[in-house]
Amino acid sequence: MKILVTGAAGFIGGQLYHKLWQQGNSVVGIDNFSYGNLDNLRFDDIDLSTKIITMDIREQNTILNLFEQNQFDIVYNMAGVAPLPDCQNNPVEAVSVNIGGLVNLLECGRKTGIKHLVQASTNAIYENEVNFPTVEDNFLPPTLIYPNTKYCAERFCQSFCDTYNMNVTCLRFANVYGPHIDCLRKQPPFVGYMIRELYYNHVPEFHSDGNQRRDYIYVDDLINLALKVIHREGFDAVNVSSNSNYSVKELYAIACELMKKDIDANYNPPMRYWKKYPELYQGAYSIKPEILEHEVNKYSLCDNKLAKTKYNWEPEIDIREGLKRVIEAECEMLKNRDLAKGIE
């Protein structure tokens, strides 16, 4: 098959690109490198960083030319602005990429006759839900910019399906973790941050009491579902979740055990975290403190019955095995990075 992967230099996009290549597909990967990293494309069996195309999904003529030249069967849209502070600080950019960029892909796919588009959505759209586990077809709409861009993106996906009889599946990711998770950026995912701090024997600073619970999905399990959904017709929105959740304290205890570390973490008030982003409080109207506190302490648990029954999918990697794999990969990356800099 001819397949396009956008955001292909990202953590998830890179892993997906690699898996599709291993299967023998003809894959084109694009990324504008606002968040992507070439390291996410270097694997033991191939260096995909030499094949990536620098391109923005919002470029109408360029993307259309790409579609016309390649006649893609499948499009996986993994591109997007995800960090919450980035979306709140620059909502115009977040809407432009997460909604406008997607609509551009849908329109190019409509014109050239793609068979299926898979959209990276998020369980963050359930941020205001109070009934758990959350199900796909019954939830309160979100508040913050990031989940709203993904929520609106899903509506455009359904619009194209209903209007043009196209096939689109929105995958609502739980917290994704796995090798190549970004542990170096300013606001790394929790798992990446935790591993990095323990590797350097630093005391992690967690901005909560450590008891809030989130659901996690290993990246290989996510990709397995992404490969299954392309064979169905019409529109669908599907949770990608293990249907289990874990607290910060539980995950930290497992990581300490696996890394043989005995370091007590510091647990700080949630609002201390947001002081790193003073721009959130600037302007005539500043963000409500209770919104930020809720974001830190929110509870997440997604039902995965739909994925199991409709797509015959089961998550295979439990949290302990998943963390073990991530720790091995991230510690090796950090070691090689330090050696390259002459740090012993």
Side-chain angles (χ1 to χ4, degrees), residues 13 21 51 59 72 82 114 135 151 170 186 189-190 200 212 232 243 277 308 316 319 325 331-332:
W21 172 83
K51 302 179 181 297
E59 299 171 5
F72 296 116
I114 63 169
V135 294
Y151 180 67
C170 298
K186 179 181 177 181
F190 166 70
Y200 289 115
Q212 79 273 39
R232 286 245 175 199
N243 202 32
Y277 304 98
K308 289 181 177 181
E316 298 177 357
I319 196 69
R325 296 184 187 185
C331 288
E332 182 68 17

Side-chain angles (χ1 to χ4, degrees), residues 9-23:
F11 158 48
I12 300 171
Q15 301 282 312
L16 176 61
Y17 187 2
H18 184 226
K19 181 68 173 180
L20 292 166
W21 172 83
Q22 286 182 321
Q23 291 183 332

